Amino acid sequence: MRAVAYKTPQPIAAETSLIDVDLPTPEAKDHDLLVEIKAVSVNPVDVKVRASMAPPADELRVLGFDAAGIVKAIGPDVTLFKPGDEVFYSGVINRPGSNAEYQLVDERIVGRKPKSLDFAAAAALPLTSITAYEALFDRLRVTDPVPGAAPALLIIGGAGGVGSIAIQIARALTDLTVIATASRAETQTWVKELGAHHVIDHSRPIAPQVAALGIGAPGFIFSTTNTDKHVADIVEALAPQGRFGLIDDPKTFDIVPFKRKAASVHWELMFTRPLFGTPDMIEQHKILNRISELVDAGKIRTTLSETVGTINAANLKKAHAMVESGKMKGKAVLAGF
């Protein structure tokens, strides 16, 4: 089967940072689905792994997490899907990825593809949707009010992949006032279209802008990027006993200032459940099916912002460079081989 892989971590501009290869087609066992890949999208985790994690000596690593495709074969323990089903999912970090014609993925982290979307539009959604859903409902517990706090959610980095879907999920499934940050006219328009009630500029101090809205201190703050730049503002803006969640990897992160407000801090990593095989791993199957229902009901839209081309090394290098630029809105998708 055709695939795109890398041998050594390199800058994306390097000729061999990603290469086209031919690999054996894997065989479905246990709870695995063998999925024929129709479309993939690129996430910051693809960039981080490619740039920093070396495969074992003389081995290739196939990247790719988000995918949409068709089930071609199933393992003997599969009960949720059958060959021919259209699916979408985000895979796991410790198995070969979706930048290939075929991929094995555990059925318990796979959802039914939205019927109203084509494969490209569907491929933009899984990783960010699971991340946002888990962050909001499993970590921050946004349906459990913070006493005395404004029933509001501040999303830092609202125009990125996770922010773009978090805005929509919060609007579709909660009554919270959603405040999103964006620094450019283009991205500010984007987050408004996705449903943010208020938009503020994260290139300027955040806390005074939140205070100026006149709605009170938000009970929930969710940071998707550049957390280390905004910690002081986050602590100032958050309500006493509020809840703060983050998904990025700040070089430094001082948690002590949160103590004065008895605030809780929550890290979200959507790979944790499948990586450790937690007893509730099937929750990701349920989350994706819920997202699929919301899409088909017209309550959530795809966050696809650009289709880069077919799945090959040259186009994936373009998509990685786009993500590395830090200026993307939504998601970059590749479709077909």
Side-chain angles (χ1 to χ4, degrees):
M1 67 176 183
R2 289 171 289 180
V4 179
Y6 75 98
K7 288 185 177 180
T8 58
Q10 299 178 77
I12 195 60
E15 183 178 353
T16 57
S17 60
L18 292 170
I19 56 175
D20 293 305
V21 297
D22 189 64
L23 299 172
T25 301
E27 179 182 348
K29 299 178 180 179
D30 304 322
H31 283 278
D32 280 340
L33 310 175
L34 178 67
V35 178
E36 181 183 4
I37 302 297
K38 295 296 185 181
V40 301
S41 70
V42 176
N43 293 280
V45 65
D46 294 79
V47 170
K48 292 176 184 177
V49 172
R50 189 215 77 243
S52 63
M53 295 180 64
D58 299 322
E59 291 189 18
L60 295 165
R61 175 160 186 168
V62 176
L63 284 173
F65 300 99
D66 275 331
I70 301 172
V71 177
K72 302 303 290 184
I74 61 174
D77 298 327
V78 169
T79 60
L80 302 173
F81 297 96
K82 64 184 184 303
D85 286 346
E86 296 184 350
V87 296
F88 72 150
Y89 57 89
S90 63
V92 70
I93 202 163
N94 60 339
R95 300 188 73 179
S98 60
N99 296 339
E101 286 188 273
Y102 296 94
Q103 182 188 16
L104 293 178
V105 60
D106 192 298
E107 63 170 339
R108 292 167 290 186
I109 59 171
V110 175
R112 297 186 300 273
K113 183 184 80 66
K115 295 178 181 178
S116 58
L117 297 183
D118 62 18
F119 287 104
L125 290 172
L127 187 147
T128 54
S129 294
I130 294 172
T131 299
Y133 195 101
E134 288 185 346
L136 297 181
F137 298 105
D138 295 341
R139 315 294 172 231
L140 295 179
R141 295 180 288 110
V142 296
T143 55
D144 181 9
V146 174
L153 167 69
L154 168 62
I155 300 173
I156 298 173
V162 173
S164 293
I165 196 67
I167 292 168
Q168 297 185 76
I169 291 174
R171 286 301 310 270
L173 300 179
T174 79
D175 294 323
L176 295 171
T177 296
V178 178
I179 310 160
T181 79
S183 61
R184 294 178 286 130
E186 176 189 13
T187 52
Q188 289 173 352
T189 298
W190 172 262
V191 298
K192 287 177 183 176
E193 290 175 350
L194 294 175
H197 294 96
H198 303 283
V199 182
I200 62 176
D201 183 354
H202 53 238
S203 70
R204 299 189 290 117
I206 290 173
Q209 295 179 76
V210 173
L213 296 174
I215 63 174
F220 313 101
I221 299 180
F222 179 32
S223 179
T224 69
T225 186
N226 293 318
T227 298
D228 47 349
K229 296 181 181 179
H230 304 299
V231 172
D233 268 322
I234 290 166
V235 173
E236 183 179 345
L238 186 65
Q241 301 187 91
R243 303 180 200 126
F244 169 60
L246 69 160
I247 60 171
D248 59 333
D249 303 304
K251 293 180 180 178
T252 60
F253 182 65
D254 184 4
I255 198 173
V256 174
F258 289 89
K259 180 179 179 180
R260 183 170 175 269
K261 288 189 171 179
S264 58
V265 177
H266 306 261
W267 237 297
E268 159 60 19
L269 180 66
M270 55 79 57
F271 292 124
T272 296
R273 279 168 160 153
L275 183 62
F276 291 95
T278 61
D280 63 349
M281 186 167 80
I282 199 169
E283 288 301 313
Q284 294 197 343
H285 165 73
K286 297 175 183 178
I287 290 169
L288 287 174
N289 282 350
R290 184 76 188 278
I291 296 299
S292 186
E293 291 168 0
L294 290 169
V295 170
D296 287 339
K299 295 182 178 180
I300 285 179
R301 74 186 212 193
T302 181
T303 53
L304 185 158
S305 60
E306 186 166 349
T307 302
V308 182
T310 56
I311 304 167
N312 59 43
N315 288 334
L316 277 165
K317 288 170 72 172
K318 293 177 185 176
H320 276 236
M322 291 167 61
V323 173
E324 286 183 348
S325 75
K327 296 181 179 181
M328 278 200 66
K329 64 176 186 183
K331 300 291 293 294
V333 172
L334 299 87
F337 277 87

